[in-house]
Amino acid sequence: MGQTFSHDSFASHIIQPATALDTLYCVCSDELLLRNETVDSIRQACRDKGYNERTSLILDANGNWNAIQECTQSISLFGDLKILEITIPTGKPGKTGATALIDLAAQVQKGEISDTVIVISLPKLDKTTAKSKWAQQLLATATVINIANIDRQHLPAWIKQRLKRQNQSVDEATLAWITDKVEGNLFAAHQEILKLGLLYPEGKIQAEDIEQAILDVARYDVFALSNAMLEGNGQRTVRMIQGLKAEGEALPLVLGVMTREIRTLYTLATARQQGENIAGLFRQLYIFPPRDKLIRQALERLSLKHLMGMIQHAHDIDRLFKGYPVNGRMDDAWEEITRLALKVVNPAIL
């Protein structure tokens, strides 16, 4: 009990058949695919050892938390060993849920649960939540499996490793091409890799075969756009804006997230110009790794004057969207959003 396993961004944590089972597991990750694979492996290890009765609960702050006690205290009609899987999608159990989780941890610590393996699936907990009483007690009691996010930088290596499991490989250029096609969507990458395993034999797959097999399954999201913009990647920024527009994303949402980033940069640039310690301001604005690195990169290339102009530009785009023409701006609000994003990428572009 109380063990913690931290895994890099290349793998799920797979419970081996010979591994002795613990009573309580917590699987924490924002990568739903890897979290599900880990839970699947625990479930299979339990079944291999005779845990045949399974109950699955999805709970939030308003959930029926009494169901946990009902499951752990009930006696199976057939005397089966049980698996209880609890998913907390938000990672916020609320007051009632917090009490239920503290009670559950106490039961496990006292050895009061003997016929059930409990697996709790959580997103990565933020710092405040991780310091809460329920989280502290639960994580101290459970075998905790932390799985890191897969960022874009590591996605080619992850795809390469997954292909290797199938005894397949591609060249580096093709890896980069696949990465572009599955931008931000680990499930899509996983599905495409499995599809390649079905379509082609073991060995090296040619680039033209990959292009024929893989559809453009990119899932563009506005927060990934924000990251591309902050890191100064113009090509990726334009591609993501085009993708958001094609997928019917609401322009006010895109503009809102972009404006938030620009205002954050403006606040930091103002403090820096006044000689303040912006490291402390980062904490006040809840800017933590890895996002802080992107913000610092953007601050290096953007002056206070640049940022003031961008705030006005964002205001003009809002007027355009509402049907009001603005002197010096294009009529298409999406075109102006692209221009604004490229200003953040490189203020010398426009």
Side-chain angles (χ1 to χ4, degrees):
M1 296 296 171
Q3 299 180 82
T4 299
F5 299 93
S6 295
H7 288 264
D8 62 24
S9 53
F10 296 102
S12 315
H13 179 78
I14 305 301
I15 303 296
Q16 301 301 327
T19 304
L21 294 175
D22 289 322
T23 303
L24 179 61
Y25 292 90
C26 284
V27 182
C28 306
S29 179
D30 287 334
E31 293 289 6
L32 188 56
L33 171 69
L34 303 185
R35 196 186 340 150
N36 286 350
E37 287 180 341
T38 299
V39 172
D40 287 346
S41 77
I42 298 172
R43 184 188 305 134
Q44 187 57 54
C46 289
R47 285 177 173 163
D48 290 344
K49 296 183 187 310
Y51 289 76
N52 296 316
E53 184 178 320
R54 173 175 168 252
T55 300
S56 180
L57 303 175
I58 300 176
L59 299 171
D60 58 17
N62 299 312
N64 177 21
W65 290 91
N66 289 330
I68 295 177
Q69 284 288 83
E70 292 169 5
C71 181
T72 56
Q73 293 181 359
S74 65
I75 299 173
S76 172
L77 291 175
F78 304 101
D80 287 339
L81 298 172
K82 296 178 292 185
I83 309 166
L84 172 59
E85 296 176 12
I86 303 168
T87 302
I88 309 173
T90 63
K92 308 286 186 181
K95 186 176 180 180
T96 302
T99 301
L101 292 171
I102 290 169
D103 290 344
L104 178 63
Q107 282 183 280
V108 173
Q109 288 175 343
K110 295 174 183 176
E112 295 176 355
I113 299 175
S114 59
D115 63 345
T116 304
V117 169
I118 303 157
V119 185
I120 300 179
S121 178
L122 293 157
K124 182 180 178 181
L125 301 180
D126 58 49
K127 289 189 175 182
T128 301
T129 305
K131 291 178 181 178
S132 65
K133 184 178 178 180
W134 72 264
Q136 292 277 309
Q137 191 154 339
L138 189 68
L139 299 180
T141 305
T143 292
V144 182
I145 302 169
N146 288 313
I147 307 170
N149 288 351
I150 297 208
D151 56 28
R152 194 177 190 281
Q153 179 184 354
H154 293 110
L155 189 54
W158 184 84
I159 294 171
K160 183 177 182 178
Q161 187 182 71
R162 290 282 167 136
L163 284 169
K164 188 177 180 181
R165 290 185 185 181
Q166 303 172 173
N167 295 317
Q168 292 177 318
S169 65
V170 297
D171 59 38
E172 295 300 318
T174 305
L175 272 178
W177 185 87
I178 296 173
T179 300
D180 284 341
K181 289 298 177 183
V182 298
E183 177 93 52
N185 191 338
L186 208 62
F187 274 107
H190 175 64
Q191 290 168 359
E192 294 303 321
I193 291 164
L194 292 178
K195 184 166 72 175
L196 292 174
L198 294 172
L199 290 175
Y200 299 105
E202 295 180 358
K204 188 170 184 177
I205 309 174
Q206 299 304 311
E208 54 269 24
D209 293 330
I210 295 281
E211 291 180 17
Q212 288 177 9
I214 293 184
L215 301 174
D216 190 347
V217 293
R219 175 179 62 84
Y220 298 97
D221 70 75
V222 68
F223 298 104
L225 166 62
S226 177
N227 288 344
M229 186 176 68
L230 291 172
E231 71 185 7
N233 190 328
Q235 185 177 12
R236 185 176 172 220
T237 296
V238 172
R239 185 174 69 246
M240 298 206 73
I241 291 174
Q242 292 171 344
L244 287 164
K245 181 181 178 182
E247 291 179 357
E249 185 61 83
L251 184 144
L253 173 63
V254 179
L255 180 61
V257 172
M258 289 175 60
T259 303
R260 183 199 67 188
E261 298 291 19
I262 291 167
R263 289 189 179 279
T264 296
L265 290 166
Y266 175 79
T267 300
L268 290 165
T270 301
R272 182 176 60 182
Q273 187 177 72
Q274 294 172 351
E276 295 182 23
N277 176 14
I278 64 170
L281 191 53
F282 267 68
R283 291 190 294 273
Q284 292 177 31
L285 295 172
Y286 298 100
I287 302 171
F288 301 108
R291 185 165 167 261
D292 63 335
K293 183 179 179 182
L294 297 178
I295 294 288
R296 289 182 187 278
Q297 287 176 357
L299 280 173
E300 289 300 313
R301 62 179 183 270
L302 299 172
S303 68
L304 191 57
K305 183 179 179 181
H306 288 138
L307 292 163
M308 290 174 65
M310 290 174 194
I311 291 172
Q312 180 59 53
H313 196 164
H315 176 71
D316 291 346
I317 295 171
D318 183 61
R319 287 180 56 81
L320 283 173
F321 176 74
K322 293 174 180 175
Y324 299 102
V326 180
N327 289 335
R329 304 296 185 198
M330 300 179 186
D331 293 334
D332 187 336
W334 279 105
E335 289 292 337
E336 286 298 331
I337 271 191
T338 303
R339 293 183 68 204
L340 175 58
L342 288 175
K343 283 182 180 179
V344 179
V345 169
N346 183 354
I349 290 178
L350 300 171

